[in-house]
Amino acid sequence: MKITLKLFATLGDYLPEAARQKNELPLEVAPSTTVAEIISRFNLPEKLVHLVLVNGAYVAHDSRLAHELQEGDVLAIWPPIAGG
Amino acid sequence: MNDQQLLRYSRHILLPQIGVEGQEKLLHAKALVIGAGGLGSPVSLYLAASGVGTLTICDGDSVDLTNLQRQIVHRTESVGALKAESARETLSHINPEVKVVPIRERVEGERLHALVAAADVVIDASDNFPTRHAINRACVRHRKPLVSGAGIRFDGQVSVFDLRDPESPCYACLFPEHGEADDVRCAVMGVFAPLVGIIGCVQAAEALKLIIGAGEPLAGRLLLLDGLAMEWRSVRLKKDPRCAVCAAP
């Protein structure tokens, strides 16, 4: 199935070079792929995975790793940011 | 208000949500702005133009040429000057009625507590987690509304922690202390100039609304701005019952 991965702020560095223009990457993944599997596949450091949203809706911290993605989902991950 | 003030603030006074009464509140208000950089620039410009009575602006840094692309309260001739002083100079031309108190240091400890205790609203426009956590602790202790914004590259976040309400989440409910990775600064990451302008303008709007008591504050919600797509998302925030800072002992 197809999903879209969006990585914000400093996490953009974990996307392939070609995806950085928009900080998003279309992905082909197995059905029922979890958020944890995507985090692991892109080697995202745990401390940088601060907020997880699927289709713009926040996924609670406790349940997010096991959250199963569906066809067409947009998975967005935000690191903590403090710049000003 | 005298005739000049009625004219200067007429477009606010015309708004039924503000009126003469709301503008009087602004004229008597004390706002504490911590950081006179990318966020603190639009915040201080709008608060000064709007007639907020006293603006205390804290920053220990000096203006650098690399700041000018986005830190719009500073000017080319201010390079090398202390940011708090440079901001005061610009703001004095925009609205000489506003009392600007420059604090030429990175505030912490009891100094920070005293400044927070004296303010009606606190605007966090700083650029690092230790300062953000210190400001939050002071706002929790003194029960002050905190308007918090942050941005890097093309992405930003903004929220209000209305700590006058004991049920409100605090900044540490969202970003637990010692929980975050070392932040990477603008110096290496880059920041899109209007990104901090947009986030700072939302902070200014929320600070003014809190002072006036107009509308619904951005409390209990975190706005996330994807500047490349120009999309906003809103996430509900809840008080963390185990928060090391605001949970009851």
Side-chain angles (χ1 to χ4, degrees):
Chain A
M1 63 178 190
K2 288 184 169 60
I3 65 157
T4 302
L5 174 65
K6 298 190 78 163
L7 296 179
F8 290 96
T10 46
L11 277 176
D13 295 346
Y14 292 83
L15 287 170
E17 191 74 38
R20 289 185 202 166
Q21 199 59 32
K22 291 164 76 177
N23 276 347
E24 67 175 52
L25 182 68
L27 281 179
E28 183 69 41
V29 297
S32 305
T33 293
T34 62
V35 169
E37 286 168 304
I38 302 290
I39 289 171
S40 153
R41 179 162 156 187
F42 286 86
N43 295 315
L44 306 182
E46 190 186 333
K47 279 192 159 186
L48 291 184
V49 178
H50 183 234
L51 300 172
V52 172
L53 292 86
V54 174
N55 302 327
Y58 177 67
V59 184
H61 192 271
D62 300 341
S63 57
R64 68 192 192 187
L65 291 179
H67 183 97
E68 291 186 2
L69 297 164
Q70 310 292 322
E71 167 78 29
D73 275 355
V74 178
L75 169 62
I77 304 178
W78 284 78
I81 60 174
Chain B
M1 266 185 279
N2 59 37
D3 288 352
Q4 282 298 305
Q5 288 175 311
L6 288 168
L7 276 175
R8 180 185 278 268
Y9 305 118
S10 59
R11 298 313 191 261
H12 258 173
I13 292 167
L14 282 167
L15 296 169
Q17 295 84 352
I18 300 181
V20 169
E21 193 186 346
Q23 189 60 46
E24 292 276 6
K25 287 183 186 169
L26 293 176
L27 297 179
H28 293 108
K30 292 178 183 168
L32 174 64
V33 182
I34 301 172
L39 298 170
S41 288
V43 167
S44 59
L45 287 166
Y46 271 111
L47 296 191
S50 300
V52 170
T54 305
L55 274 182
T56 303
I57 301 178
C58 311
D59 203 309
D61 290 343
S62 300
V63 180
D64 184 85
L65 188 59
T66 61
N67 300 150
L68 298 179
Q69 154 259 19
R70 65 197 180 283
Q71 301 186 12
I72 57 175
V73 80
H74 308 300
R75 293 161 302 160
T76 305
E77 53 268 35
S78 304
V79 168
L82 284 160
K83 285 187 178 177
E85 285 293 351
S86 162
R88 189 195 57 77
E89 174 68 18
T90 303
L91 300 174
S92 72
H93 291 287
I94 287 177
N95 191 348
E97 292 187 353
V98 171
K99 181 182 175 195
V100 178
V101 181
I103 307 285
R104 308 160 190 88
E105 61 188 87
R106 184 167 168 170
V107 287
E108 51 198 357
E110 285 310 307
R111 184 85 197 271
L112 174 59
H113 277 281
L115 290 167
V116 167
D120 297 311
V121 61
V122 178
I123 298 100
D124 186 348
S126 69
D127 64 356
N128 63 88
F129 283 112
T131 299
R132 289 174 180 278
H133 284 303
I135 295 167
N136 179 59
R137 279 187 175 269
C139 288
V140 168
R141 194 210 283 183
H142 301 287
R143 295 209 165 172
K144 297 293 181 178
L146 169 61
V147 184
S148 179
I152 195 84
R153 289 187 169 167
F154 288 90
D155 303 320
Q157 302 181 346
V158 56
S159 188
V160 168
F161 302 94
D162 192 351
L163 300 160
R164 297 171 297 185
D165 173 6
E167 296 307 310
S168 165
C170 80
Y171 181 77
C173 295
L174 174 63
F175 294 98
E177 290 185 344
H178 315 298
E180 61 282 309
D182 289 339
D183 190 48
V184 190
R185 302 297 183 85
C186 305
V188 273
M189 298 296 298
V191 58
F192 186 48
L195 183 270
V196 278
I198 296 167
I199 298 295
C201 285
V202 175
Q203 289 185 275
E206 289 301 313
L208 295 174
K209 281 168 57 190
L210 284 165
I211 293 167
I212 299 161
E216 193 65 37
L218 182 59
R221 289 177 289 147
L222 173 71
L223 293 186
L224 304 166
L225 173 61
D226 171 354
L228 282 173
M230 204 48 80
E231 272 187 345
W232 291 90
R233 298 292 185 190
S234 179
V235 171
R236 295 236 160 241
L237 299 178
K238 281 188 289 195
K239 187 180 177 79
D240 179 355
R242 294 162 299 178
C243 176
V245 177
C246 73

